Amino acid sequence: MPSPSGSSTLSKPAPRFASIGSPYFGIMLAIMAVVLILSNIGASKGVVLGPIITDGGFFLFPIAYILGDVMSEVYGFKVARKAIITSFALSVFASLCYWIIIVLPGFTDDYGTSKQAAIEGALGPVPLIVLGSLLAFLAGQTINSWILVKMKARTGEKSLWARLMGSSVVGELVDTLIFCSIAASVIGITDFGSFLNYALAGFVYKTAVEFLFVPVTVLVVGWIKKREPSYGTVAA
């Protein structure tokens, strides 16, 4: 019906996604969960690369965000949120297993006690890392996914690179601030200067990696969309 001004009022169609009936989503979810668990272990070790302070999981964590971008773009916010929650449920389960392994009575000879100390040193801090990672990733990825899907509602299938980059900046900023605030003391960072270095380096690095991989992410998204039989049939 014509508007009072004489022009037609057109509403943009709802963004379209795919259902999760094909194996692609399951594969990406499995990779995300494994990457998250491994990065939580690696994050318990402080790493110094010249003037940069980071942790041992720095090279893994961006992969989880890239996968989150792909799932948000192809399957939508609700499915991406389920993937985030599932990944962290598995991460919490892994942390519980580490705790059980540590408290189980071991051999009392010199080899047994040294091995127990090594296990406690490697896996003992992980529950705190998981807590920080849980809060950070849950908030950061949820915001990242929400912004990406909201931008898709405005632009449709166009400007995927802008959605990926815009959502990543906000998501990574929230993630980094929350995670570093909790993880810093676990890996031995006690002064503000080192913390600022740690947080800034983490944010710049993770965001730069996501930006660098935007062309690859765009190709992966396009590849999955073409091979996902149900893509375009599910409304937001």
Side-chain angles (χ1 to χ4, degrees), residues 32 64-73 77 80 84 136-151 163-175 210:
M32 175 184 278
Y65 259 84
I66 292 171
L67 289 170
D69 285 342
V70 175
M71 286 189 282
S72 298
E73 173 67 22
F77 176 70
I84 296 167
F137 192 74
L138 191 60
Q141 264 286 22
T142 300
I143 291 172
N144 177 77
S145 177
W146 184 82
I147 291 175
L148 191 150
V149 172
K150 285 296 182 180
M151 291 179 70
R163 293 198 292 277
L164 295 173
M165 296 175 74
S167 62
S168 294
V169 170
V170 181
E172 290 290 9
L173 179 61
V174 172
D175 181 289
E210 288 210 54

Side-chain angles (χ1 to χ4, degrees), residues 53-55 61-62 65 132-133 135-141 168-184 195-208 210:
I53 298 175
T54 183
D55 57 63
F61 203 71
Y65 259 84
S133 187
L135 297 176
F137 192 74
L138 191 60
Q141 264 286 22
S168 294
V169 170
V170 181
E172 290 290 9
L173 179 61
V174 172
D175 181 289
T176 301
L177 289 176
I178 295 175
F179 177 73
C180 290
S181 297
I182 296 175
F195 170 78
L196 190 61
N197 186 322
Y198 180 44
L200 184 60
F203 170 70
V204 171
Y205 165 76
K206 288 185 286 189
T207 305
E210 288 210 54

Side-chain angles (χ1 to χ4, degrees), residues 17-42:
F17 303 99
S19 65
I20 56 176
S22 74
Y24 298 113
F25 173 77
I27 293 171
M28 288 188 288
L29 174 58
I31 295 173
M32 175 184 278
V34 171
V35 165
L36 194 56
I37 290 171
L38 291 177
S39 65
N40 286 336
I41 297 174

